[in-house]
Amino acid sequence: MKSVRVPTILCIPALLTAAPLHAQDIAKRPVRAPSEILRATRAEEWRSLDPANTLYVDLPGGQVIIELAPDFAPRHVENIRALARGGYFDGGAVHRVQDNFVAQWAPRRLSDGEEWPAHIRRGIDAEIDVDSEGLPFTPLPDPDTYAPEVGLVAGFPAARDPQSGRAWLVHCYGSVGAARGVDPGSGNGSELVVNIGQRGRPLDRNATIVGQVRSGMEHLSTLPRGNGPLGFHEDPPPQTTLERVRLGTDVPEAERARFQILRTDSESFRAFIIAIRSYTDDFFTYSANRLGVCDAVVPTRPTDAG
Amino acid sequence: MKSVRVPTILCIPALLTAAPLHAQDIAKRPVRAPSEILRATRAEEWRSLDPANTLYVDLPGGQVIIELAPDFAPRHVENIRALARGGYFDGGAVHRVQDNFVAQWAPRRLSDGEEWPAHIRRGIDAEIDVDSEGLPFTPLPDPDTYAPEVGLVAGFPAARDPQSGRAWLVHCYGSVGAARGVDPGSGNGSELVVNIGQRGRPLDRNATIVGQVRSGMEHLSTLPRGNGPLGFHEDPPPQTTLERVRLGTDVPEAERARFQILRTDSESFRAFIIAIRSYTDDFFTYSANRLGVCDAVVPTRPTDAG
C-alpha cells in the first residue's frame, strides 16, 4: 500500500453550492439543491456591475474589482470616483497588511508644488447608517452576534435595527472601508481598507463601508503582512504598488468585469439562501440549519452564462 | 499642502487590547482597560504549551506552531503525534489553498516498497463532540448564529448544547482540522486543514478539529491560492513543501515556543473578555457591546514577560 487511506478532500463544494443539513433533517432535503436553483434563475434576476460604481484596482499580482455602495456612502463614493478619475491612486501603495484583519492602501504622494484640486474633499463625516425604509433588504432568519437583524441589501452584507429604523453595511470578508483617524470626519476615501480576515464585525457602525470586493480578493489576501505594529509596513517598506486604479466608466467595455451577480432581492436568491442553509451534499452529517451574514455568499456567473 | 488629510490608521489597537463601546455607554467605560487587566495578571494564570501537544511546522516562509487538542480528538492527536515522530509529514506538501477558506497539507509519499507502520491508524471515526460535564468552559454572553452557547475551553473556541450536554470545538481563523472524505471515518490526521479565512462555522460538528494555530498563521494565509477547483493545486503544482514537522517533545528546549497563553478559565481572562466586549479607545464611537466567539482572541505574552 502506497499511502495512508488519505482523505483527499475536505469536500465542501465551495459552500456556495452546498451547506450543512441538520442530522434530524437528513431525510427532508429541500426539493431543489442550491445548484439547481441557480440553473433555474431568470435572466432578469442577474445584474452586471454599474461601471459608475465599479473600481478596477490593478496590483502587480492581478486585478481586484470593487463594487461601490453609493446608497450607503454617497459622499465617500463621490470622492473615490474623483480620486480614481484624477489618477491619484495610481502609484500609491498598499502600506498596511495585518493578518486576519485588513489590507490598506494610500494614494500617491503629490509632487513638489502640486496641490489637491478643489473638487477632492479633504475630510468627510463618517457615513455610518441610513434610513432602512424602502431598502431592498433580504433578511436572514438566524440570530447574529452583533446586530438585531442581518441580511443582504443590493448584494452587500447589512444589518438593520427595527427600533431605530436604521440600516448599515457590516464588515465581512471583502468589505471595503474608508480609513480614518480618531476624528470620525477625518476619512475621505483616499485610503481604503479591505477586510482580508475573519475579524471585522466590531468595526460595524464605526467605519464607513464604501463597497465590497467582487473579484480578485486573493491578490490582497496573499500580500506579505506588514512588519510593523498593526501590520503597517516599516522601512524598508516591502509595499505593493497600486499600478492603476480606474473607475469602470474609464475602462474600455471589452476589459470590464465578465461576470454577473444574482440580485439579492430576487426570488431565486431567497430560495438559494434557504437552500444553502439546510441543504448538503454527502459530506455533511450534521447541520445547524443556520447561516451567518458573512457566510451568505452572493452567487456570480460568467456574463456569457446568461 | 502635500497630501489629502489622510487618515493614517484605521486605528484599532489590534482589537486584542481594545474593542467597541456602545454609544450610550461612552461615559461608563470599565474601570480597567484590557491592557491594564493583562498587566495585572498573576503568573499562574499563564501557561506554556505542553510539548506533547504542540506541533512545529516548518514551511519555507517560516514556522507555524499548532496546539493540539487531545481532550477533544484524542485518537486523531495520537495519530498525528505518531506521524510527526515518524517523519511522515516531512517533505509533504500544502496541496490545497482555497481563498477565504482553508490551507491543507498531505504527508510525504511513501517510497517504493515502503509500508505504513502498524501503529499509524488508517482511518479514525470523526471525533465531533464530548461530554460537556466538567469541562473548563468559559461562556461568552452573546448570541451565536450557529450554536446554542459559545465560549472558550482550554484556549480553544468552542460551543456547547445544554440540552444534549455535548460540547465541541468550532471553526474559527486558525482552527486545525483533520481532512476526511465523504465517510466520516476516513480521516486520520495525515492531512490537516487550517482555516485561513472567514468561512468555517458551517463545518462545525462535521469535521474533527484537532487543534489551533498559536503562531505563524501568516505563513499559511499568504500562500498562493490553488489554481484548481476548491483551491487544489493542479499540474504543474506550485505547492509549498512541508520542510519539517516535529512534535514539541522532539524540539530542543531552546527552540520551543517563547510565548505563554492566558488560561481561559482564569479570572483575568473572564475580566478581559468583559472588558474587550465593552471597552474602547478613542477611535470607536459606537459599540454593540457584543463579542463573537471567533473575535474572542486569547492573549499571549513572551515567556520572559512573566
Side-chain angles (χ1 to χ4, degrees):
Chain A
M1 189 176 60
K2 273 285 150 294
S3 68
V4 168
R5 183 160 144 230
V6 159
T8 49
I9 50 171
L10 183 65
C11 59
I12 298 158
L15 284 185
L16 196 151
T17 52
L21 179 70
H22 199 289
Q24 69 213 47
D25 291 336
I26 284 198
K28 6 171 206 157
R29 288 187 180 192
V31 178
R32 292 196 303 160
S35 55
E36 202 181 322
I37 291 169
L38 294 182
R39 274 195 303 272
T41 50
R42 299 187 314 276
E44 63 268 26
E45 294 186 309
W46 296 87
R47 65 187 176 91
S48 296
L49 291 169
D50 177 350
N53 293 329
T54 311
L55 212 56
Y56 291 80
V57 179
D58 294 336
L59 296 170
Q63 189 176 67
V64 179
I65 302 179
I66 294 169
E67 182 173 22
L68 298 169
D71 291 345
F72 286 86
R75 289 179 308 149
H76 281 80
V77 167
E78 194 190 333
N79 228 33
I80 290 166
R81 287 194 194 109
L83 286 155
R85 304 207 71 174
Y88 293 105
F89 289 117
D90 302 347
V94 183
H95 60 104
R96 177 191 186 190
V97 188
Q98 186 174 2
D99 196 62
N100 194 23
F101 196 39
V102 294
Q104 177 172 344
W105 63 77
R108 71 170 172 83
R109 288 181 182 279
L110 294 191
S111 335
D112 274 355
E114 192 183 8
E115 298 284 342
W116 290 100
H119 71 285
I120 302 218
R121 299 184 205 209
R122 308 299 198 275
I124 303 175
D125 281 347
E127 297 177 290
I128 293 303
D129 57 18
V130 299
D131 188 344
S132 66
E133 181 82 25
L135 279 185
F137 195 102
T138 300
L140 293 172
D142 304 312
D144 177 73
T145 301
Y146 291 95
E149 190 178 30
V150 289
L152 282 296
V153 175
F156 297 101
R160 70 181 173 190
D161 177 4
Q163 275 201 298
S164 67
R166 307 301 288 175
W168 58 95
L169 299 186
V170 302
H171 291 81
C172 290
Y173 191 77
S175 292
V176 184
R180 65 166 173 87
V182 168
D183 173 3
S186 61
N188 70 352
S190 66
E191 287 207 20
L192 296 175
V193 277
V194 180
N195 278 77
I196 61 164
Q198 185 165 59
R199 297 197 298 180
R201 294 294 307 280
L203 282 174
D204 289 358
R205 311 199 73 173
N206 285 288
T208 302
I209 294 179
V210 301
Q212 176 83 23
V213 173
R214 294 295 180 202
S215 81
M217 267 306 290
E218 68 277 17
H219 305 308
L220 290 167
S221 59
T222 57
L223 291 179
R225 277 36 177 168
N227 50 350
L230 303 180
F232 282 97
H233 281 295
E234 293 188 340
D235 294 330
Q239 301 179 3
T240 301
T241 302
L242 296 173
E243 294 183 341
R244 187 171 57 162
V245 177
R246 290 172 295 171
L247 192 65
T249 49
D250 294 327
V251 173
E253 212 164 312
E255 293 173 29
R256 291 183 192 159
R258 293 195 187 85
F259 58 84
Q260 292 186 304
I261 299 170
L262 187 60
R263 292 179 190 276
T264 51
D265 58 350
S266 66
E267 197 187 318
S268 289
F269 181 75
R270 286 193 199 94
F272 175 79
I273 283 299
I274 296 306
I276 65 168
R277 193 171 162 271
S278 62
Y279 182 80
T280 185
D281 64 11
D282 294 337
F283 179 84
F284 288 90
T285 55
Y286 170 85
S287 167
N289 272 331
R290 300 292 181 91
L291 189 67
V293 63
C294 292
D295 293 327
V297 176
V298 179
T300 60
R301 68 173 186 183
T303 298
D304 56 18
Chain B
M1 188 177 59
K2 274 283 148 297
S3 69
V4 168
R5 183 161 144 233
V6 159
T8 49
I9 51 170
L10 181 68
C11 58
I12 297 158
L15 285 184
L16 197 152
T17 53
L21 181 69
H22 199 289
Q24 69 214 46
D25 291 337
I26 284 198
K28 10 171 203 157
R29 287 187 181 192
V31 178
R32 293 196 303 162
S35 55
E36 202 180 323
I37 291 168
L38 294 183
R39 275 194 302 271
T41 50
R42 300 187 313 278
E44 63 269 26
E45 293 186 309
W46 296 87
R47 63 185 177 93
S48 297
L49 290 170
D50 177 349
N53 293 329
T54 310
L55 212 55
Y56 291 80
V57 179
D58 293 337
L59 297 170
Q63 189 176 67
V64 179
I65 301 178
I66 295 169
E67 181 173 22
L68 298 169
D71 290 345
F72 286 86
R75 289 181 307 149
H76 281 80
V77 166
E78 193 190 334
N79 228 32
I80 290 166
R81 286 193 194 108
L83 287 157
R85 303 208 73 175
Y88 294 104
F89 289 118
D90 301 349
V94 184
H95 60 105
R96 177 192 186 189
V97 188
Q98 186 174 3
D99 196 61
N100 192 25
F101 196 39
V102 294
Q104 178 172 342
W105 63 76
R108 70 170 173 83
R109 287 180 183 279
L110 293 193
S111 335
D112 274 354
E114 192 183 9
E115 298 283 341
W116 290 99
H119 71 287
I120 302 217
R121 297 185 207 209
R122 309 298 197 274
I124 302 174
D125 282 347
E127 295 178 291
I128 293 304
D129 56 18
V130 299
D131 187 344
S132 65
E133 182 80 25
L135 280 185
F137 195 102
T138 299
L140 294 172
D142 304 311
D144 177 72
T145 301
Y146 291 96
E149 190 178 29
V150 288
L152 282 296
V153 175
F156 297 101
R160 69 180 173 190
D161 177 6
Q163 275 201 300
S164 68
R166 307 301 289 174
W168 57 95
L169 299 185
V170 302
H171 290 81
C172 291
Y173 192 77
S175 292
V176 184
R180 64 165 173 88
V182 168
D183 173 3
S186 62
N188 70 352
S190 65
E191 288 207 19
L192 296 175
V193 278
V194 180
N195 277 77
I196 60 165
Q198 185 166 58
R199 299 197 297 178
R201 294 294 308 279
L203 281 174
D204 288 359
R205 311 199 72 174
N206 284 288
T208 302
I209 295 179
V210 300
Q212 175 83 24
V213 173
R214 294 295 180 203
S215 81
M217 265 307 290
E218 66 278 17
H219 305 308
L220 290 167
S221 59
T222 58
L223 291 180
R225 278 35 178 168
N227 51 351
L230 302 180
F232 281 96
H233 282 295
E234 293 188 342
D235 293 329
Q239 302 179 3
T240 301
T241 301
L242 296 174
E243 294 183 341
R244 189 170 55 164
V245 177
R246 289 173 296 172
L247 192 66
T249 48
D250 294 328
V251 174
E253 211 164 312
E255 294 172 29
R256 291 184 192 159
R258 294 196 187 82
F259 58 85
Q260 292 186 303
I261 299 170
L262 186 60
R263 292 179 190 276
T264 51
D265 57 350
S266 67
E267 196 187 321
S268 289
F269 181 75
R270 288 194 198 93
F272 175 79
I273 283 297
I274 296 306
I276 64 169
R277 195 171 160 271
S278 62
Y279 181 80
T280 184
D281 64 11
D282 294 336
F283 179 84
F284 287 89
T285 56
Y286 170 85
S287 166
N289 271 331
R290 300 291 181 93
L291 190 67
V293 64
C294 292
D295 293 328
V297 177
V298 179
T300 60
R301 68 174 186 183
T303 298
D304 56 17

